[in-house]
Amino acid sequence: MPNPSNYGPDKVLIFDTTLRDGEQSPGATLNAQEKLDIARQLARLGVDIIEAGFPAASPGDLEAVQRIAQTVGQEPRIDRQGNPAEPPVICGLARANPQDIDAAWEAVRPAKHPRIHTFLATSPVHMEYKLKMQPEEVVARVREMVGYAKQYCADVEFSPEDAGRSDPRFLYQVLTAAIAAGATTLNIPDTVGYTTPDEFGRLIRDIREHTPGAKDVVISVHCHNDLGLATANTMAGVQNGARQVEVTINGIGERAGNTSLEEVVMALYVRQQVYETETNIITQEIHRSSDMVSRYTGMVIQPNKAIVGANAFAHEAGIHQDGMLKNKRTYEIMDADTIGLSHSKLVLGKHSGRHAFRVRMEEMGYHLEDEELNKVFRRFKDLADKKKTVSDADLEALVGDEVYQPKETWELVNVQVQCGNNVVPTAVVTLRNTDSGATVTDAGFGSGPVDAVYQGINRIVQVPNVLTEFLVQAVTEGIDANGDVTIRIAVPESRGFTHTAQGRPRRRLFSGRGIDTDIIVASAKAYMQALNKLIDAESATQSTVHIANGERSAV
Ligand code: KIV
Ligand code: ZN
C-alpha cells in the first residue's frame, strides 16, 4: 500500500466501494466482465482504493475480485498531471473470521497494492441481537482477526460496523485494539445513515483525540444516505480530520445508498478554500464513470441529481438564461467541462466517415477494439439515416448498447409487431441461441405491443420471472430521438436468494437496458439483456456458497 504519510496532510484518499456496497443495491447485480470494466474506469478516474467485492460470498465473487487484482491492480495509470502513476489499491471485504479473511487475501494478493478490509459490529443492538456477543468478546475478536489479516497483508482496514450508533467510549477501546493488532486504516461507518453532520463530525474528532495511535493511521468515513445526509456527514468527517472517504459512483448502495463520489469530490474541488484538501481524482472522467455505472447497474440517475443528473447544468428559467449569457458565473459554480461533459465541436451526420467517427470516440474517451468500433459505427450509420445529427449523448447510448453487454445466451434476431385500436396486440419474435446456434421463432399476444413481445420471448426462453420496473426515456430531444428503455425483472423466491456481506437476504433482480429509435425494439433489447444476465447468473451460482446469519453453507 502506498504509505498514507506520503500523501501529506491535505490529501483526501478516495475509496470507491461501487463494486461492493454499491453492488448491494437491489437489482444492481453486475457480472465479472462488467465489474472489470467499471474497475478499469475507476482506475482511469484516479480513485486511490477500489473495494472490488466481498470474496467470501461465492467462488464467482472471489474470481471477479481476483481478476481485478490481476489486471487493474497491476496496471500503471496516468495521474491528474499526465504523469505515470501507481495502480490503485485493490481491497476485498471480509467479516471478522478466518475463512472470510483467507478468501479476501486469496482474491486481492495478485494486486501490486492489496488491502484486506475486515469489520465487526460495535453497536449495542448489533452485538446483542445479531452477533450475540459480549463487548469484551468483540474487542478480543477484533484484535485477533486484525492480527490474522495482518499476517498476510501489510495494509489492513478495520471498520466497527454501525459506529454511528455505538457508544464512543467503547469505540475507542475497539479501535485501540485494532491499531495494536496492526490496522493501518480505521473506517468509521454510519451504517444506517442515522447521524447528523454535527454529531458525526464530533465523533471523528473525538476518535482522533481519544484513541491512542489514531494519529498514525488513516481515519476514514463511510456514510449511508437514509436521511439524505451522507454527503454532509462525510464532509463533516473531512473537516474533523478524516483523510479517506468511502463513496460510490452515483451514490448507489443499499436502501437510500452510500455517499456519492461525485458530490464529495466536487465539493472538495469547488470549495477548496473551505476544506483545504485535494483529491487525486481526474474530474473530467466523472461523467463517463457515472454513465457507465448507471448503464451496467440499470440504476437510472434522477434528473436533478447533483453533479451528474441530466439537469445539473441545464438552465430553463428565462432569468437564469439571461444571467448566464451575461456572465456564466451568475448561476454556474462549476463548468460542465470539469466533469467531462464535453460540447463537441465536431457534429456527426450521415456523411461522416469511419475516421471522423473514431476520432470523436477517442475524444470522448472510448478506446474501442476494431470489432467494437465496427459494431458501433454500423449502429451510428443506421441512426444517422433516421436523425439529422447524432449527438454525444446518442453516441454514448450506442456504445452502451453495443459494447457493454452481458454474455448473450439468446440473441434478438427479429421482432415484428401488429397493434392498433381494434386488434389484439401480436408479436412475432425470432431469437438465436448462441450455444447451439439454433434459431427459434414464436408468437405472443398481450395487453399491449410490449407485453406481446415479452410473451413471445418467454415462450422461447422459458425462464420464469416477473417484470418489476419499466421505464422509457428519450436520449435526446426531438421526435426522432433514440428511445432508452430500462427494465428490471425479479426471480421468483422459489429460485433462491443470495445474501449481502452483512448476511441480509438479497432479492434477485436483474436490470436490462435497450436503445433504439423504435421503442418496441428498445423494449425487446432491454428484456433480452435482463434475461441474459439472469441466465448467466444462474449458471454461475450453481456452486455458490450462501451466507446466512454469519454462517456459510454450500448449496
Ligand atoms: O455500512 C457499513 O457498515 C459497511 C461496512 C462493511 C463497512 O458497509
Ligand atoms: Zn456500507
Side-chain angles (χ1 to χ4, degrees):
M1 136 93 188
N3 182 345
S5 57
N6 291 345
Y7 286 97
D10 58 352
K11 188 74 87 179
V12 173
L13 302 179
I14 303 295
F15 176 114
D16 182 279
T17 183
T18 305
L19 296 175
R20 199 279 297 170
D21 225 351
E23 212 235 354
Q24 287 182 202
S25 319
T29 320
L30 299 163
N31 66 30
Q33 184 57 45
E34 291 168 334
K35 287 181 186 172
L36 186 60
D37 287 352
I38 292 178
R40 279 233 158 78
Q41 179 57 27
L42 292 173
R44 229 176 271 138
L45 175 66
V47 311
D48 301 282
I49 302 112
I50 297 176
E51 186 163 56
F54 173 40
S58 73
D61 286 45
L62 191 151
E63 265 169 47
V65 177
Q66 205 168 44
R67 250 176 94 190
I68 291 171
Q70 285 159 347
T71 51
V72 181
Q74 294 183 359
E75 292 159 5
R77 52 185 171 159
I78 304 295
D79 72 9
R80 265 185 324 142
Q81 282 77 35
N83 298 321
E86 285 290 298
V89 173
I90 305 297
C91 174
L93 183 71
R95 287 166 300 177
N97 68 53
Q99 298 88 333
D100 272 32
I101 294 171
D102 290 346
W105 176 239
E106 188 59 28
V108 298
R109 65 190 295 185
K112 184 156 183 212
H113 303 296
R115 175 182 292 188
I116 297 174
H117 175 191
T118 187
F119 71 99
L120 191 63
T122 50
S123 63
V125 62
H126 276 237
M127 289 191 290
E128 183 177 346
Y129 296 102
K130 189 178 88 172
L131 299 177
K132 301 189 180 17
M133 285 170 83
Q134 293 302 317
E136 320 75 74
E137 292 176 293
V138 167
V139 178
R141 174 83 73 88
V142 168
R143 188 177 298 110
E144 198 189 340
M145 288 303 120
V146 170
Y148 187 81
K150 192 74 184 181
Q151 50 152 6
Y152 290 134
C153 188
D155 184 357
V156 176
E157 171 169 330
F158 171 73
S159 295
E161 190 190 6
D162 205 14
R165 291 189 300 168
S166 302
D167 174 353
R169 279 159 311 185
F170 180 56
L171 275 181
Y172 311 149
Q173 271 184 53
V174 172
L175 296 174
T176 305
I179 295 174
T184 40
T185 299
L186 298 178
N187 176 49
I188 311 303
D190 181 18
T191 304
V192 291
Y194 178 72
T195 61
T196 65
D198 272 359
E199 285 169 350
F200 194 66
R202 200 174 324 120
L203 178 65
I204 299 303
R205 195 187 59 213
D206 289 348
I207 285 173
R208 293 183 69 232
E209 263 169 31
H210 299 294
T211 309
K215 299 231 158 50
D216 304 323
V217 299
V218 175
I219 302 291
S220 165
V221 287
H222 175 117
C223 300
H224 281 263
N225 203 28
D226 298 66
L227 293 174
L229 293 172
T231 298
N233 285 346
T234 299
M235 302 314 286
V238 170
Q239 277 190 306
N240 285 280
R243 286 295 175 265
Q244 174 179 290
V245 292
E246 302 204 348
V247 289
T248 61
I249 302 284
N250 301 335
I252 65 167
E254 275 193 270
R255 308 182 309 276
N258 287 61
T259 308
S260 93
L261 177 146
E262 58 279 5
E263 290 176 17
V264 171
V265 166
M266 290 311 288
L268 291 173
Y269 179 86
V270 173
R271 304 307 310 276
Q272 211 201 6
Q273 283 173 334
V274 174
Y275 294 103
E276 297 180 319
T277 58
E278 59 174 15
T279 72
N280 288 322
I281 294 296
I282 301 171
T283 59
Q284 289 74 10
E285 292 290 333
I286 287 178
H287 172 66
R288 188 167 311 120
S289 311
S290 159
D291 192 57
M292 179 187 268
V293 168
S294 168
R295 231 166 252 296
Y296 273 167
T297 58
M299 312 257 322
V300 177
I301 304 167
Q302 74 195 59
N304 59 329
K305 164 85 177 63
I307 318 296
V308 291
N311 294 351
F313 291 91
H315 297 271
E316 266 310 313
I319 189 166
H320 284 204
Q321 288 180 350
D322 180 55
M324 289 282 292
L325 288 173
K326 288 178 177 143
N327 184 332
K328 267 172 80 162
R329 290 284 162 238
T330 49
Y331 288 101
E332 214 172 70
I333 59 165
M334 55 197 152
D335 287 333
D337 303 0
T338 320
I339 63 149
L341 257 179
S342 61
H343 300 289
S344 172
K345 283 160 216 79
L346 191 65
V347 176
L348 294 180
K350 71 180 197 181
H351 299 298
S352 306
R354 211 167 165 284
H355 179 67
F357 182 76
R358 183 189 278 281
V359 169
R360 186 70 209 121
M361 284 277 115
E362 300 264 331
E363 275 174 7
M364 290 171 67
Y366 295 111
H367 308 287
L368 303 179
E369 301 292 331
D370 280 350
E371 205 189 315
E372 292 170 340
L373 190 94
N374 288 342
K375 278 196 205 164
V376 185
F377 185 62
R378 272 198 298 274
R379 286 287 298 278
F380 155 71
K381 280 289 187 186
D382 282 351
L383 183 63
D385 270 343
K386 297 175 189 153
K387 277 187 92 187
K388 247 201 351 256
T389 55
V390 178
S391 70
D392 286 355
D394 286 317
L395 293 178
E396 269 171 3
L398 293 188
V399 174
D401 209 37
E402 282 298 331
V403 183
Y404 304 156
Q405 286 293 344
K407 178 180 176 292
E408 271 193 317
T409 303
W410 287 98
E411 194 181 78
L412 180 70
V413 178
N414 204 41
V415 56
Q416 204 178 327
V417 178
Q418 196 186 17
C419 63
N421 58 344
N422 281 319
V423 284
V424 176
T426 310
V428 178
V429 179
T430 303
L431 305 183
R432 196 175 78 85
N433 187 301
T434 56
D435 292 335
S436 65
T439 299
V440 189
T441 300
D442 213 323
F445 306 101
S447 55
V450 174
D451 189 29
V453 170
Y454 284 19
Q455 298 306 335
I457 293 174
N458 284 344
R459 285 173 62 90
I460 301 174
V461 177
Q462 302 204 3
V463 177
N465 70 83
V466 181
L467 182 72
T468 58
E469 258 178 71
F470 182 86
L471 174 72
V472 188
Q473 291 171 299
V475 173
T476 50
E477 288 167 5
I479 193 72
D480 57 356
N482 257 321
D484 180 349
V485 174
T486 305
I487 66 153
R488 225 172 274 279
I489 58 176
V491 177
E493 281 180 30
S494 56
R495 289 172 85 93
F497 282 91
T498 55
H499 291 81
T500 66
Q502 290 86 352
R504 286 188 286 280
R506 184 175 171 179
R507 196 169 173 217
R508 300 186 67 207
L509 292 169
F510 296 87
S511 65
R513 198 160 172 181
I515 312 279
D516 203 280
T517 45
D518 181 326
I519 59 167
I520 305 297
V521 177
S523 307
K525 286 181 176 175
Y527 191 44
M528 293 307 302
Q529 192 185 78
L531 282 175
N532 279 320
K533 281 188 188 173
L534 192 168
I535 294 166
D536 194 27
E538 294 221 319
S539 58
T541 51
Q542 299 304 323
S543 58
T544 293
V545 175
H546 277 213
I547 294 156
N549 303 324
E551 294 304 317
R552 289 151 52 100
S553 62
V555 291

